[in-house]
Amino acid sequence: MTNFKTFLACGGAFGALAFAAPAVAQDADAPAPQATEEAPTGNAIIVTARRQSETLAEVPTAITVFTADTLEKTGIERADEFVQLTPGVTIVTGTAEAGDTQINIRGINGARDAESSVALVVDGILKTNTAQLNQDQGTLRQIEILKGPQGALYGRNAAAGAIVIQTLKPGNFLEGAIKVSAAEDDTYSASAYISAPIGENAGFVVSGSYDTTDGFYRNSFLNSKTIDDQEIWSVDARFVADVGADTELDVKARYADLSGASINFNAAFALPNFGGAFFEDVNEHPFGFYSNIRPTNEQQTFEASAKVTHQFEAVELTAWVLYSDVEQALTADGTSADFARFTFPGATQDSIDASNACFGSTAQLTGFPVNAPGFIGTVPTPFIFDVANGSTFGPYSPTTCDGTQFQTREQSDISAEVRLASTDDGYIDWQLGAYYLHINREVGVSLGADLGFGVTEQLFNPAGSNNPTTQLYNDDFSTDVYAVFGSLDFEVSDGFELGLAARYDVEERSATNLVPNATDPFTGGPINPGQAFGPIADQSETFKQLQPKLSLRYALSDDINFYANWGIGFKSGGFNNQGSAAIVDQAFNQFIGTNVLIEDVYEKETSSAFEAGLKGELLDGAVTFDLAGYYTTIDDMQFFEFFVGGFGLLRVVSNIDEVEVYGGELNLAAEIMPGWSIFGSANVTESEIKENASRPITVGNKSPYTADYTINLGTQLDLPVTDTMDFVARADYRITGPTWFHSVQENTSPTIFSGLLPGSQLMAPAFVGDADYSLTQRDEFSVLDVRIGVQTDSWSLTAFADNLTNEEYLNEVIPAVEFGGSFISPGALRRFGVEVGFKF
């Protein structure tokens, strides 16, 4: 493998931790196996990876577990925090809109606007909308991250893995806690909970959290905090009661509200024939933000669920129902400035008004500093049409010339599951169940002319209004999911177990176009290009898949287990905004001769994954380890594409026909002495696109969003200072390897400029506008987080530093291939803070 030398070199950095043992730990984040609230005896960590409680060592798959103690000492609260401590897992979140979270596990990535590839299960209930991963999930008590297909056991959208979360369950005594923190950039956080019994057979937990920050970056044009500022609060409630001797009722509800900024991107051009800053390494881009539109992001979440568990003589019945409603809205600047959409007066009044607005703003802004190679000339016309006086705006410019965008995503769903599971101590454990889900989802993307009055927050604004709509995608999606599942686990002999699980899903999907029969007030064409040949008809598709999973565990000794598993992963196909295929074909294939295949209906994604490994402990449990290898093939991998042109912008999901992924992973935790632990993990992943009809030139490239390797190193101290006070310190160091974010990598491609240049004042040959994307790979980067403080049984005081070395890195790179560049977002910078906690 091409990264094998790097893998070995980095592995040597923590090889000494193993004391010459050729193995690495199972629980990479935890200093040593520790008892949880559910652990019956000793130091065994109890997990639910097979929908039943068992020790970590018994589970035939690689799992990263964050126990209650680890959660407290790391300060983990949200997905972006625990993912960064998990080998082979990366995350992109918060770059575009609230809830837009992309988790990649061993080469399988979620795709924007498609379903997630990672299931989120909280207190035994499968969440239907993983847009909530950016929020607190209540008072956390344990997190398990499972890798590889988990659909057979955990249900829908678990092709890459599952995140299984347990929150605080009310007990028989009163308890509570409050934690507050303050950090740089006006960053403040507070969380609290109270748990209390109600009589002898019931209890409740109520928790809340509040977070606010001004963010790391500022808008130079608006002179304000409009780039990554955010405010979010949530309230969670849980009521658990014994209804009779054998029945338990568990009722939960939560509400969360988020407001902040959106679209914190810059553009980096990839046009080598233009020279200078038009051909830029994305890793060397100096970020500046100059939008004249205050970007906003709003998200409201409401959930309610009820779960009943009843114990028969040798069988347990579990039934639950969940209602979820998540509403999101986004406003931001547009991207159309460089393509003269609003800078040439036309026959309509809206066209004249938009052109005049551009002239007015430009006259005042001539010479205003913007990101290279941008400049604002004496006229707003793009420089290729007026070489002497024109401008180069780039997207999200300080002028009105780039227009506006308004996006909405409203989703409500109801789901239910019934499951029977054996509870006796025989040689066979079994489960059997059924699942139903109904989703209503409406998605809208509206582009408008910026006449200097800001964004009117509705999807369609008629000609003559303050923010006339120039392009609109608006569709209503309906989904019904039916599934049955079951599993059998056999104890063949002492220390030898076989498992078989399967799930069969049927997803019935439909799409209805909601765009009114209106024309673009600038071009006179349809407001949705898909309407060029008449109204867009309703569409419906059914996607079906069997998801089997086989596993085995064999005890090589009392302390070491061999395990292997194989499974099929599945993610349903679906619908792009209707009209997407038409605009890609007209704007790119027909205009500049590209060969991009986009469909209004994208295919289902399936994967076949094999994993084998060793896990166990050494030195009487002082060292725990896990060593695993894996091989996965993915058919019709779903992939997000972003297109920008004179029409505005377009978000679609395409399919990569076949991708191959293989790699290795090792984890280690060792207790050097009582109170001092060290831990480390490493993952290396190789991937290759084997076939891609959507973009044939990408065959041989790597799987998008997949880091070549990840390495985690850390240490934790928990030492007594007095009889009642401990000194606690923890350091976590994460290295993330080079990462491509698109299927187009070291490739060239025609762009919109290739089509515009021959007819412009430059009269340049078309090839001058071709793009070279060899400089769009994110470089390796490393982040060091440190926490140090003191604690007693009732209070704690902790100082912390996130990204202590102030590493500058990219959060995400989104090439818009036919635009001639990439949209890039910066990662978090250094932040110092202090945290105070009290519990009773």
Side-chain angles (χ1 to χ4, degrees):
M1 291 181 280
T2 58
N3 295 312
F4 190 62
K5 292 182 178 179
T6 302
F7 179 66
L8 290 178
C10 295
F14 65 88
L17 305 181
F19 303 107
V24 192
Q26 163 64 31
D27 184 9
D29 76 285
Q34 301 181 33
T36 68
E37 294 176 338
E38 296 80 11
T41 58
N43 62 358
I45 296 178
I46 304 301
V47 297
T48 58
R50 290 189 288 180
R51 288 276 195 171
Q52 58 189 15
S53 296
E54 56 189 330
T55 64
L56 185 62
E58 294 174 327
V59 181
T61 188
I63 312 176
T64 298
V65 181
F66 299 86
T67 64
D69 180 74
T70 304
L71 293 172
E72 179 180 6
K73 288 182 171 59
T74 56
I76 287 174
E77 294 180 339
R78 297 194 181 97
D80 59 327
E81 296 167 335
F82 60 74
V83 162
Q84 294 302 325
L85 298 180
T86 307
V89 184
T90 58
I91 188 170
V92 172
T93 185
T95 60
E97 63 184 71
D100 183 10
T101 300
Q102 313 298 310
I103 295 180
N104 185 293
I105 299 182
R106 293 178 172 177
I108 300 180
N109 193 69
R112 281 187 177 89
D113 302 332
E115 299 294 337
S116 173
S117 294
V118 181
L120 174 63
V121 180
V122 181
D123 295 324
I125 295 179
L126 175 66
K127 300 279 186 165
T128 51
N129 191 338
T130 54
Q132 309 170 39
L133 274 168
N134 64 324
Q135 305 170 8
D136 289 348
Q137 296 297 324
T139 303
L140 302 179
R141 281 297 176 260
Q142 183 158 301
I143 300 173
E144 304 167 28
I145 301 181
L146 291 74
K147 300 160 190 175
Q150 302 297 329
L153 292 172
Y154 277 104
R156 186 172 180 269
N157 295 342
I163 297 171
V164 181
I165 295 176
Q166 297 176 30
T167 69
L168 177 65
K169 189 175 183 178
N172 298 322
F173 54 88
L174 175 68
E175 66 172 301
I178 184 171
K179 181 172 63 176
V180 296
S181 68
E184 296 175 284
D185 310 308
D186 286 331
T187 301
Y188 302 98
S189 176
S191 62
Y193 79 87
I194 185 169
S195 173
I198 303 175
E200 295 183 356
N201 300 314
F204 73 89
V205 178
V206 176
S207 61
S209 66
Y210 175 81
D211 295 274
T212 183
T213 181
D214 282 355
F216 297 103
Y217 299 93
R218 298 294 178 268
N219 185 312
S220 299
F221 178 69
L222 297 178
N223 193 27
S224 64
K225 51 172 188 177
T226 63
I227 305 305
D228 53 351
D229 59 302
Q230 190 175 93
E231 182 180 45
I232 181 172
W233 60 271
S234 63
V235 176
D236 290 77
R238 186 178 188 184
F239 172 77
V240 180
D242 291 332
V243 186
D246 301 316
T247 306
E248 181 185 83
L249 174 66
D250 189 346
V251 179
K252 298 177 66 178
R254 69 185 313 269
Y255 180 82
D257 184 276
L258 177 148
S259 61
S262 65
I263 311 290
N264 57 335
F265 290 104
N266 275 188
F269 288 93
L271 302 168
N273 296 315
F274 279 36
F278 278 102
F279 188 48
E280 181 181 25
D281 186 333
V282 294
N283 300 281
E284 298 176 2
H285 176 84
F287 281 90
F289 298 91
Y290 306 99
S291 168
N292 70 302
I293 297 290
R294 187 335 183 188
T296 65
N297 220 329
E298 304 291 336
Q299 182 189 53
Q300 291 82 38
T301 301
F302 173 74
E303 272 191 348
S305 66
K307 182 173 70 171
V308 175
T309 305
H310 179 77
Q311 182 66 53
F312 295 98
E313 183 174 348
V315 176
E316 184 178 74
L317 168 68
T318 303
W320 56 258
V321 61
L322 167 69
Y323 172 77
S324 173
D325 184 87
V326 181
E327 298 183 358
Q328 298 182 161
L330 174 154
T331 67
D333 227 345
T335 61
S336 299
D338 277 328
F339 304 110
R341 186 170 179 81
F342 302 117
T343 55
F344 292 137
T348 67
Q349 187 61 47
D350 284 304
S351 180
I352 294 171
D353 290 343
S355 184
N356 289 338
C358 288
F359 273 95
S361 63
T362 304
Q364 299 168 13
L365 289 169
T366 300
F368 186 87
V370 294
N371 292 324
F375 58 90
I376 301 177
T378 57
V379 298
T381 304
F383 80 98
I384 59 174
F385 299 115
D386 191 337
V387 177
N389 305 299
S391 305
T392 297
F393 299 112
Y396 319 124
S397 78
T399 76
T400 63
C401 303
D402 46 13
T404 64
Q405 57 179 302
F406 174 57
Q407 300 181 27
T408 62
R409 183 182 180 92
E410 299 176 357
Q411 177 173 325
S412 63
D413 37 59
I414 186 166
S415 57
E417 181 181 281
V418 177
R419 178 164 50 93
L420 291 170
S422 62
T423 57
D424 58 9
D425 295 324
Y427 293 103
I428 298 177
D429 292 323
W430 59 267
Q431 298 182 65
L432 184 67
Y435 175 81
Y436 172 74
L437 165 66
H438 176 73
I439 301 174
N440 280 325
R441 179 188 300 147
E442 182 181 338
V443 179
V445 179
S446 175
L447 306 183
D450 185 355
L451 305 182
F453 303 107
V455 181
T456 302
E457 295 189 24
Q458 54 190 32
L459 289 173
F460 177 69
N461 300 303
S465 63
N466 287 339
N467 184 209
T469 302
T470 66
Q471 181 181 297
L472 177 60
Y473 298 91
N474 186 22
D475 295 278
D476 182 73
F477 302 100
S478 179
T479 300
D480 285 289
V481 179
Y482 309 89
V484 292
F485 56 89
S487 66
L488 290 171
D489 291 289
F490 304 88
E491 187 177 347
V492 180
S493 64
D494 188 23
F496 182 32
E497 296 180 1
L498 289 175
L500 170 64
R503 177 185 175 97
Y504 184 72
D505 279 88
V506 177
E507 297 215 6
E508 297 176 349
R509 295 185 155 225
S510 63
T512 300
N513 184 263
L514 303 178
V515 178
N517 185 18
T519 59
D520 182 341
F522 292 84
T523 66
I527 203 167
N528 182 316
Q531 297 175 330
F533 303 101
I536 297 177
D538 293 351
Q539 297 202 50
S540 63
E541 292 282 342
T542 299
F543 302 92
K544 305 175 182 180
Q545 186 63 43
L546 175 66
Q547 300 173 73
K549 188 176 182 70
L550 301 172
S551 62
L552 69 86
R553 178 181 71 89
Y554 181 72
L556 300 176
S557 69
D558 290 341
D559 298 321
I560 299 177
N561 290 299
F562 168 79
Y563 65 89
N565 60 79
W566 168 84
I568 295 292
F570 163 65
K571 189 164 65 169
S572 175
F575 303 95
N576 288 310
N577 290 113
Q578 303 304 286
S580 298
I583 197 169
V584 169
D585 186 60
Q586 293 172 13
F588 303 121
N589 295 337
Q590 295 183 28
F591 180 49
I592 58 177
T594 52
N595 186 25
V596 182
L597 177 63
I598 298 296
E599 302 286 357
D600 283 348
V601 181
Y602 56 88
E603 299 296 327
K604 69 179 182 181
E605 174 184 302
T606 58
S607 55
S608 173
F610 174 78
E611 176 189 40
L614 294 170
K615 67 166 63 173
E617 60 183 43
L618 303 169
L619 304 178
D620 294 327
V623 176
T624 60
F625 66 88
D626 187 1
L627 171 64
Y630 54 90
Y631 175 82
T632 306
T633 57
I634 306 108
D635 292 325
D636 292 314
M637 173 184 277
Q638 293 171 6
F639 174 62
F640 169 79
E641 289 264 26
F642 191 60
F643 295 95
V644 181
F647 57 85
L649 58 86
L650 178 64
R651 301 160 55 120
V652 300
V653 178
S654 65
N655 292 103
I656 302 175
D657 299 78
E658 184 180 353
V659 180
E660 180 184 67
V661 178
Y662 58 95
E665 190 170 287
L666 35 88
N667 306 276
L668 168 74
E671 187 176 32
I672 305 301
M673 56 178 285
W676 179 25
S677 301
I678 54 178
F679 36 92
S681 64
N683 172 283
V684 60
T685 297
E686 287 289 331
S687 62
E688 183 179 357
I689 296 174
K690 293 292 188 178
E691 184 180 352
N692 188 7
S694 177
R695 292 186 181 273
I697 64 170
T698 65
V699 172
N701 291 344
K702 296 187 177 184
S703 177
Y705 284 79
T706 302
D708 287 352
Y709 50 85
T710 63
I711 300 168
N712 288 83
L713 303 170
T715 186
Q716 180 173 297
L717 294 172
D718 190 347
L719 303 173
V721 177
T722 68
D723 290 342
T724 59
M725 181 185 299
D726 290 343
F727 169 78
V728 178
R730 178 163 177 133
D732 289 284
Y733 184 60
R734 164 78 166 210
I735 304 172
T736 302
T739 308
W740 294 100
F741 288 88
H742 200 283
S743 59
V744 175
Q745 295 166 15
E746 298 205 28
N747 305 104
T748 60
S749 174
T751 69
I752 290 292
F753 297 101
S754 306
L756 294 174
L757 282 172
S760 71
Q761 282 192 4
L762 292 176
M763 295 293 290
F767 75 84
V768 175
D770 291 354
D772 178 346
Y773 285 94
S774 59
L775 301 181
T776 59
Q777 183 184 39
R778 181 177 67 185
D779 287 346
E780 172 192 289
F781 69 95
S782 56
V783 174
L784 174 63
D785 295 334
V786 176
R787 294 172 62 88
I788 184 170
V790 293
Q791 67 177 32
T792 69
D793 289 340
S794 58
W795 61 268
S796 62
L797 175 63
T798 305
F800 62 87
D802 297 332
N803 192 1
L804 178 62
T805 60
N806 203 29
E807 178 91 343
E808 295 184 7
Y809 63 94
L810 295 174
N811 195 359
E812 186 176 22
V813 180
I814 305 178
V817 176
E818 286 71 30
F819 160 68
S822 301
F823 293 85
I824 58 177
S825 178
L829 300 176
R830 179 170 55 204
R831 181 173 284 159
F832 293 104
V834 63
E835 176 185 286
V836 178
F838 174 76
K839 57 185 176 181
F840 61 89

